[in-house]
Amino acid sequence: MKQVVYNNNKLSKLSLGTVQFGLDYGIANSGGQPTQEEVNEIIDYVYDNNINCFDTAQAYGTSEQVLGESVKTKKDIFIISKLKSDLFQNNLEMNIDNSLNNLNINCLYGLLLHDSELLYTWTQEYTSLVEKLIDDNKIKNFGVSIYTNEDFELALDNDSIKFIQIPFNIFDQRAISQQWFQKAKAKNKLIFIRSIFLQGLLLMDIDKVPSNLLKAKKYLIKIDEYCEKLNITKNELALSFVDTIATESLMLFGCDNISQAKDNISTYNRLKFLDKNIILNMIDDFKNIDEDIYNPTKWNV
Protein backbone atom coordinates (compact mmCIF):
# COMPACT_ATOMS: atom_id res chain seq x y z
CA MET A 1 0.00 0.00 0.00
CA LYS A 2 1.36 3.42 -0.97
CA GLN A 3 1.81 5.95 1.79
CA VAL A 4 1.57 9.73 2.01
CA VAL A 5 3.86 11.34 4.58
CA TYR A 6 2.46 14.43 6.26
CA ASN A 7 4.40 16.10 9.05
CA ASN A 8 6.25 12.82 9.75
CA ASN A 9 3.06 10.73 9.90
CA LYS A 10 2.80 7.89 7.40
CA LEU A 11 -0.77 7.56 6.18
CA SER A 12 -2.06 4.94 3.78
CA LYS A 13 -2.82 6.70 0.53
CA LEU A 14 -6.00 4.67 0.18
CA SER A 15 -8.15 5.50 3.18
CA LEU A 16 -11.53 4.12 4.19
CA GLY A 17 -14.60 6.33 4.19
CA THR A 18 -17.30 4.99 6.49
CA VAL A 19 -20.55 6.74 5.60
CA GLN A 20 -21.94 3.37 4.46
CA PHE A 21 -21.44 1.97 7.98
CA GLY A 22 -23.99 4.33 9.46
CA LEU A 23 -26.39 5.12 6.62
CA ASP A 24 -28.00 3.48 3.61
CA TYR A 25 -25.82 5.43 1.18
CA GLY A 26 -24.90 5.54 -2.49
CA ILE A 27 -26.78 5.56 -5.77
CA ALA A 28 -25.46 2.09 -6.64
CA ASN A 29 -25.85 0.53 -3.20
CA SER A 30 -28.37 -2.31 -3.38
CA GLY A 31 -27.35 -4.14 -0.21
CA GLY A 32 -28.17 -1.49 2.39
CA GLN A 33 -26.29 -0.69 5.58
CA PRO A 34 -23.88 -3.45 6.73
CA THR A 35 -24.17 -5.07 10.17
CA GLN A 36 -21.60 -4.58 12.93
CA GLU A 37 -20.24 -8.06 12.20
CA GLU A 38 -19.83 -7.20 8.53
CA VAL A 39 -18.08 -3.94 9.40
CA ASN A 40 -15.74 -5.79 11.78
CA GLU A 41 -14.78 -8.09 8.93
CA ILE A 42 -14.19 -5.14 6.60
CA ILE A 43 -12.05 -3.27 9.14
CA ASP A 44 -9.99 -6.37 9.96
CA TYR A 45 -9.34 -6.90 6.27
CA VAL A 46 -8.36 -3.33 5.38
CA TYR A 47 -6.20 -3.02 8.51
CA ASP A 48 -4.37 -6.26 7.64
CA ASN A 49 -3.77 -4.74 4.21
CA ASN A 50 -2.00 -1.70 5.69
CA ILE A 51 -4.84 0.81 5.54
CA ASN A 52 -4.46 2.93 8.66
CA CYS A 53 -6.63 5.99 7.96
CA PHE A 54 -10.41 6.18 8.46
CA ASP A 55 -12.89 8.97 7.70
CA THR A 56 -16.20 9.35 9.52
CA ALA A 57 -18.62 12.03 10.77
CA GLN A 58 -21.27 12.65 13.38
CA ALA A 59 -23.74 13.14 10.54
CA TYR A 60 -23.13 9.60 9.23
CA GLY A 61 -25.82 8.03 11.39
CA THR A 62 -24.21 5.39 13.62
CA SER A 63 -20.93 5.34 11.70
CA GLU A 64 -18.76 6.62 14.57
CA GLN A 65 -20.10 4.03 17.00
CA VAL A 66 -19.82 1.18 14.52
CA LEU A 67 -16.30 2.20 13.47
CA GLY A 68 -15.27 2.69 17.10
CA GLU A 69 -16.37 -0.82 18.00
CA SER A 70 -14.42 -2.32 15.09
CA VAL A 71 -11.13 -0.43 15.64
CA LYS A 72 -10.86 -0.54 19.43
CA THR A 73 -8.07 -3.14 19.32
CA LYS A 74 -6.20 -1.57 16.39
CA LYS A 75 -2.88 0.23 16.86
CA ASP A 76 -1.30 3.14 14.99
CA ILE A 77 -4.42 4.28 13.18
CA PHE A 78 -5.51 7.76 12.11
CA ILE A 79 -9.16 8.72 12.44
CA ILE A 80 -10.73 11.84 10.96
CA SER A 81 -14.24 12.89 11.91
CA LYS A 82 -16.42 15.82 10.91
CA LEU A 83 -18.80 18.24 12.62
CA LYS A 84 -21.34 20.52 11.05
CA SER A 85 -20.78 24.24 11.63
CA ASP A 86 -23.61 24.59 14.13
CA LEU A 87 -22.10 21.86 16.32
CA PHE A 88 -18.72 23.60 16.14
CA GLN A 89 -20.29 26.82 17.38
CA ASN A 90 -22.35 25.24 20.17
CA ASN A 91 -21.01 22.94 22.90
CA LEU A 92 -17.90 22.17 20.87
CA GLU A 93 -16.00 20.26 23.56
CA MET A 94 -19.06 18.17 24.41
CA ASN A 95 -19.50 17.30 20.74
CA ILE A 96 -15.83 16.36 20.41
CA ASP A 97 -16.02 14.24 23.55
CA ASN A 98 -19.03 12.45 22.05
CA SER A 99 -17.01 11.60 18.95
CA LEU A 100 -14.04 10.42 21.02
CA ASN A 101 -16.29 8.23 23.15
CA ASN A 102 -18.06 6.83 20.10
CA LEU A 103 -14.74 6.03 18.45
CA ASN A 104 -13.03 4.61 21.57
CA ILE A 105 -10.05 6.94 21.16
CA ASN A 106 -8.50 9.81 23.12
CA CYS A 107 -7.56 12.07 20.24
CA LEU A 108 -8.75 12.64 16.67
CA TYR A 109 -6.02 12.84 14.06
CA GLY A 110 -8.24 15.30 12.24
CA LEU A 111 -11.42 17.23 12.96
CA LEU A 112 -13.08 18.69 9.88
CA LEU A 113 -15.96 21.07 9.44
CA HIS A 114 -18.54 19.07 7.51
CA ASP A 115 -19.63 22.21 5.67
CA SER A 116 -17.90 25.44 4.66
CA GLU A 117 -20.33 27.88 6.27
CA LEU A 118 -17.96 29.08 9.00
CA LEU A 119 -15.20 29.88 6.52
CA TYR A 120 -17.16 32.95 5.46
CA THR A 121 -17.46 34.39 8.99
CA TRP A 122 -14.25 33.06 10.56
CA THR A 123 -13.09 34.93 13.66
CA GLN A 124 -10.22 34.85 16.12
CA GLU A 125 -12.61 33.17 18.56
CA TYR A 126 -12.84 30.17 16.23
CA THR A 127 -9.07 30.08 15.89
CA SER A 128 -8.78 30.03 19.68
CA LEU A 129 -11.26 27.15 19.90
CA VAL A 130 -9.17 25.11 17.48
CA GLU A 131 -5.96 25.92 19.35
CA LYS A 132 -7.51 24.83 22.64
CA LEU A 133 -8.61 21.50 21.18
CA ILE A 134 -5.05 20.93 19.98
CA ASP A 135 -3.52 22.06 23.30
CA ASP A 136 -5.88 19.73 25.17
CA ASN A 137 -4.77 16.89 22.86
CA LYS A 138 -8.29 16.22 21.66
CA ILE A 139 -7.35 16.78 18.03
CA LYS A 140 -4.08 16.85 16.12
CA ASN A 141 -5.23 18.75 13.03
CA PHE A 142 -8.18 20.83 11.94
CA GLY A 143 -9.71 21.07 8.49
CA VAL A 144 -12.79 21.43 6.33
CA SER A 145 -14.74 19.61 3.66
CA ILE A 146 -15.20 22.00 0.74
CA TYR A 147 -17.65 22.13 -2.14
CA THR A 148 -16.72 25.14 -4.28
CA ASN A 149 -13.61 26.96 -5.42
CA GLU A 150 -14.52 29.89 -3.17
CA ASP A 151 -14.63 27.44 -0.24
CA PHE A 152 -11.23 26.12 -1.23
CA GLU A 153 -9.61 29.56 -1.44
CA LEU A 154 -10.92 30.49 2.01
CA ALA A 155 -9.61 27.22 3.44
CA LEU A 156 -6.27 27.82 1.79
CA ASP A 157 -5.91 31.24 3.43
CA ASN A 158 -7.05 30.07 6.87
CA ASP A 159 -4.01 29.19 9.01
CA SER A 160 -6.10 27.03 11.35
CA ILE A 161 -6.94 24.66 8.51
CA LYS A 162 -4.40 21.94 7.71
CA PHE A 163 -6.66 19.34 6.03
CA ILE A 164 -8.91 20.04 3.05
CA GLN A 165 -11.31 17.38 1.82
CA ILE A 166 -12.35 17.84 -1.80
CA PRO A 167 -14.46 16.10 -4.42
CA PHE A 168 -12.43 14.89 -7.41
CA ASN A 169 -13.16 12.33 -10.10
CA ILE A 170 -13.32 11.87 -13.85
CA PHE A 171 -16.49 13.95 -14.09
CA ASP A 172 -15.57 16.60 -11.50
CA GLN A 173 -12.26 18.13 -12.57
CA ARG A 174 -12.36 21.43 -10.69
CA ALA A 175 -9.27 20.39 -8.73
CA ILE A 176 -7.37 20.39 -12.02
CA SER A 177 -8.77 23.55 -13.58
CA GLN A 178 -8.46 25.52 -10.31
CA GLN A 179 -5.03 24.04 -9.38
CA TRP A 180 -6.14 22.86 -5.94
CA PHE A 181 -3.34 20.29 -5.57
CA GLN A 182 -0.53 22.72 -6.35
CA LYS A 183 -1.97 25.44 -4.12
CA ALA A 184 -2.43 23.10 -1.16
CA LYS A 185 1.10 21.74 -1.43
CA ALA A 186 2.54 25.26 -1.46
CA LYS A 187 0.91 25.88 1.94
CA ASN A 188 1.59 22.40 3.38
CA LYS A 189 -2.06 21.45 3.54
CA LEU A 190 -3.05 17.82 3.12
CA ILE A 191 -5.80 17.00 0.65
CA PHE A 192 -8.27 14.17 1.15
CA ILE A 193 -10.14 13.20 -2.00
CA ARG A 194 -13.74 12.02 -1.78
CA SER A 195 -16.26 11.02 -4.47
CA ILE A 196 -13.74 9.12 -6.59
CA PHE A 197 -16.57 6.93 -7.92
CA LEU A 198 -19.18 9.71 -7.60
CA GLN A 199 -21.35 7.62 -5.27
CA GLY A 200 -21.10 4.73 -7.73
CA LEU A 201 -22.35 6.62 -10.77
CA LEU A 202 -19.05 6.17 -12.63
CA LEU A 203 -19.32 2.40 -12.21
CA MET A 204 -22.97 1.99 -13.21
CA ASP A 205 -24.17 0.00 -16.19
CA ILE A 206 -25.75 2.22 -18.82
CA ASP A 207 -29.12 0.50 -18.54
CA LYS A 208 -29.26 1.12 -14.77
CA VAL A 209 -28.82 4.90 -14.87
CA PRO A 210 -31.82 6.53 -13.14
CA SER A 211 -34.12 8.80 -15.07
CA ASN A 212 -32.88 11.97 -13.35
CA LEU A 213 -29.34 11.31 -14.64
CA LEU A 214 -30.03 10.34 -18.25
CA LYS A 215 -27.78 13.11 -19.53
CA ALA A 216 -24.84 11.34 -17.86
CA LYS A 217 -25.24 8.40 -20.23
CA LYS A 218 -23.12 9.82 -23.04
CA TYR A 219 -20.22 10.28 -20.62
CA LEU A 220 -20.63 6.79 -19.18
CA ILE A 221 -20.48 5.45 -22.72
CA LYS A 222 -17.21 7.33 -23.15
CA ILE A 223 -15.89 5.71 -19.96
CA ASP A 224 -16.80 2.30 -21.38
CA GLU A 225 -14.86 3.18 -24.53
CA TYR A 226 -11.74 4.06 -22.52
CA CYS A 227 -12.03 0.84 -20.53
CA GLU A 228 -12.29 -1.23 -23.70
CA LYS A 229 -9.36 0.58 -25.28
CA LEU A 230 -7.13 0.19 -22.21
CA ASN A 231 -8.46 -3.28 -21.28
CA ILE A 232 -9.23 -2.23 -17.71
CA THR A 233 -12.36 -2.08 -15.56
CA LYS A 234 -14.31 1.07 -14.73
CA ASN A 235 -13.12 0.72 -11.15
CA GLU A 236 -9.50 0.70 -12.34
CA LEU A 237 -10.03 3.66 -14.65
CA ALA A 238 -11.64 5.81 -11.95
CA LEU A 239 -8.93 5.00 -9.40
CA SER A 240 -6.06 5.34 -11.89
CA PHE A 241 -7.23 8.74 -13.08
CA VAL A 242 -7.23 10.15 -9.55
CA ASP A 243 -4.10 8.30 -8.39
CA THR A 244 -2.06 9.40 -11.41
CA ILE A 245 -2.93 13.08 -10.97
CA ALA A 246 -3.14 13.39 -7.17
CA THR A 247 0.18 11.81 -6.22
CA GLU A 248 0.44 13.41 -2.77
CA SER A 249 -3.20 13.30 -1.65
CA LEU A 250 -5.17 10.70 0.28
CA MET A 251 -7.94 8.90 -1.58
CA LEU A 252 -11.11 7.94 0.26
CA PHE A 253 -13.03 4.86 -0.80
CA GLY A 254 -16.15 3.34 0.66
CA CYS A 255 -17.57 -0.15 0.63
CA ASP A 256 -20.84 -1.82 1.57
CA ASN A 257 -19.42 -5.31 2.05
CA ILE A 258 -16.20 -7.30 2.33
CA SER A 259 -16.20 -8.20 -1.38
CA GLN A 260 -16.10 -4.53 -2.35
CA ALA A 261 -13.30 -3.91 0.16
CA LYS A 262 -11.23 -6.74 -1.29
CA ASP A 263 -11.93 -5.62 -4.86
CA ASN A 264 -11.02 -1.99 -4.19
CA ILE A 265 -7.77 -2.82 -2.40
CA SER A 266 -6.62 -5.46 -4.88
CA THR A 267 -7.50 -3.12 -7.74
CA TYR A 268 -5.59 -0.25 -6.18
CA ASN A 269 -2.51 -2.36 -5.42
CA ARG A 270 -2.18 -3.38 -9.06
CA LEU A 271 -2.88 0.05 -10.53
CA LYS A 272 -0.52 1.54 -13.05
CA PHE A 273 -0.12 5.22 -13.76
CA LEU A 274 -2.04 6.19 -16.85
CA ASP A 275 0.01 7.47 -19.77
CA LYS A 276 0.26 11.27 -19.89
CA ASN A 277 -1.51 11.41 -23.26
CA ILE A 278 -4.38 9.29 -21.96
CA ILE A 279 -4.76 11.60 -18.96
CA LEU A 280 -4.76 14.65 -21.23
CA ASN A 281 -7.36 13.06 -23.49
CA MET A 282 -9.55 12.18 -20.52
CA ILE A 283 -9.30 15.69 -19.13
CA ASP A 284 -10.36 17.02 -22.51
CA ASP A 285 -13.21 14.53 -23.01
CA PHE A 286 -14.74 15.07 -19.57
CA LYS A 287 -14.05 18.73 -18.88
CA ASN A 288 -16.89 21.20 -18.35
CA ILE A 289 -19.47 18.54 -17.50
CA ASP A 290 -22.75 19.98 -16.24
CA GLU A 291 -22.85 20.42 -12.45
CA ASP A 292 -26.19 18.60 -12.46
CA ILE A 293 -24.17 15.48 -13.26
CA TYR A 294 -21.07 15.82 -11.06
CA ASN A 295 -22.77 17.33 -7.99
CA PRO A 296 -24.94 14.77 -6.13
CA THR A 297 -26.81 17.53 -4.29
CA LYS A 298 -28.34 18.43 -7.66
CA TRP A 299 -29.50 14.92 -8.52
CA ASN A 300 -32.94 15.22 -6.96
CA VAL A 301 -33.64 18.83 -7.92
Side-chain angles (χ1 to χ4, degrees):
M1 177 59 61
K2 295 178 185 176
Q3 292 182 323
V4 172
V5 179
Y6 181 74
N7 292 346
N8 298 318
N9 292 128
K10 295 180 179 179
L11 304 135
S12 54
K13 183 170 183 184
L14 197 63
S15 300
L16 185 65
T18 64
V19 62
Q20 289 96 331
F21 296 171
L23 296 171
D24 189 354
Y25 174 86
I27 191 173
N29 175 13
S30 59
Q33 184 180 338
T35 65
Q36 180 69 61
E37 291 72 23
E38 289 170 328
V39 171
N40 293 345
E41 185 180 14
I42 291 168
I43 295 298
D44 286 345
Y45 182 81
V46 302
Y47 182 78
D48 289 343
N49 280 270
N50 300 313
I51 287 179
N52 63 7
C53 190
F54 304 90
D55 173 271
T56 186
Q58 286 197 3
Y60 292 168
T62 58
S63 174
E64 283 188 338
Q65 295 95 317
V66 173
L67 177 62
E69 178 65 24
S70 61
V71 300
K72 61 185 179 183
T73 62
K74 310 304 185 192
K75 305 294 184 183
D76 301 319
I77 61 174
F78 302 92
I79 296 182
I80 291 90
S81 193
K82 298 184 283 295
L83 279 178
K84 292 187 176 180
S85 289
D86 60 337
L87 296 180
F88 181 88
Q89 293 172 288
N90 298 289
N91 300 315
L92 175 60
E93 290 205 37
M94 182 188 75
N95 288 314
I96 297 302
D97 288 341
N98 285 340
S99 284
L100 296 175
N101 289 333
N102 288 338
L103 291 161
N104 290 307
I105 57 176
N106 296 317
C107 180
L108 284 167
Y109 182 63
L111 171 68
L112 273 61
L113 292 173
H114 209 155
D115 56 83
S116 56
E117 179 182 331
L118 281 189
L119 297 183
Y120 293 83
T121 56
W122 193 263
T123 66
Q124 179 58 43
E125 177 187 359
Y126 298 149
T127 297
S128 297
L129 287 173
V130 172
E131 290 173 350
K132 186 176 189 305
L133 289 174
I134 294 172
D135 290 343
D136 291 345
N137 201 35
K138 292 191 175 183
I139 71 170
K140 294 293 185 185
N141 300 279
F142 183 68
V144 65
S145 185
I146 67 99
Y147 297 84
T148 68
N149 186 58
E150 188 175 7
D151 291 350
F152 180 86
E153 293 294 341
L154 288 171
L156 197 68
D157 291 336
N158 188 321
D159 291 338
S160 295
I161 291 174
K162 305 302 180 186
F163 294 171
I164 306 177
Q165 190 176 119
I166 69 167
F168 177 52
N169 53 65
I170 295 171
F171 285 1
D172 185 353
Q173 298 185 12
R174 290 172 295 167
I176 299 173
S177 60
Q178 304 291 346
Q179 298 185 314
W180 290 351
F181 300 117
Q182 298 91 323
K183 291 177 179 178
K185 182 177 181 180
K187 292 206 171 184
N188 192 35
K189 304 200 182 212
L190 181 63
I191 283 185
F192 292 75
I193 298 170
R194 67 177 188 271
S195 299
I196 292 170
F197 303 122
L198 196 52
Q199 295 192 18
L201 176 62
L202 298 181
L203 310 180
M204 289 188 78
D205 293 335
I206 297 296
D207 59 359
K208 294 183 179 179
V209 176
S211 58
N212 59 321
L213 283 169
L214 292 180
K215 57 185 176 182
K217 277 192 170 185
K218 65 179 181 180
Y219 298 110
L220 294 175
I221 291 171
K222 180 65 69 173
I223 283 179
D224 286 339
E225 291 172 354
Y226 270 100
C227 290
E228 184 176 356
K229 176 182 177 182
L230 299 172
N231 193 30
I232 60 176
T233 66
K234 287 183 276 194
N235 196 328
E236 288 174 309
L237 185 70
L239 283 169
S240 292
F241 179 80
V242 173
D243 191 54
T244 301
I245 292 170
T247 56
E248 298 177 81
S249 302
L250 271 66
M251 299 165 55
L252 298 172
F253 78 101
C255 56
D256 307 316
N257 53 63
I258 187 66
S259 296
Q260 287 181 3
K262 290 179 178 180
D263 182 54
N264 280 321
I265 292 172
S266 64
T267 297
Y268 183 76
N269 284 335
R270 67 173 182 266
L271 282 185
K272 296 179 180 178
F273 271 19
L274 294 177
D275 178 85
K276 180 180 179 181
N277 289 329
I278 293 171
I279 289 289
L280 291 175
N281 287 337
M282 289 183 69
I283 290 173
D284 190 56
D285 282 339
F286 297 103
K287 68 182 179 183
N288 301 322
I289 287 180
D290 194 320
E291 185 181 3
D292 289 347
I293 295 174
Y294 74 70
N295 185 348
T297 67
K298 306 283 188 179
W299 288 355
N300 294 319
V301 175

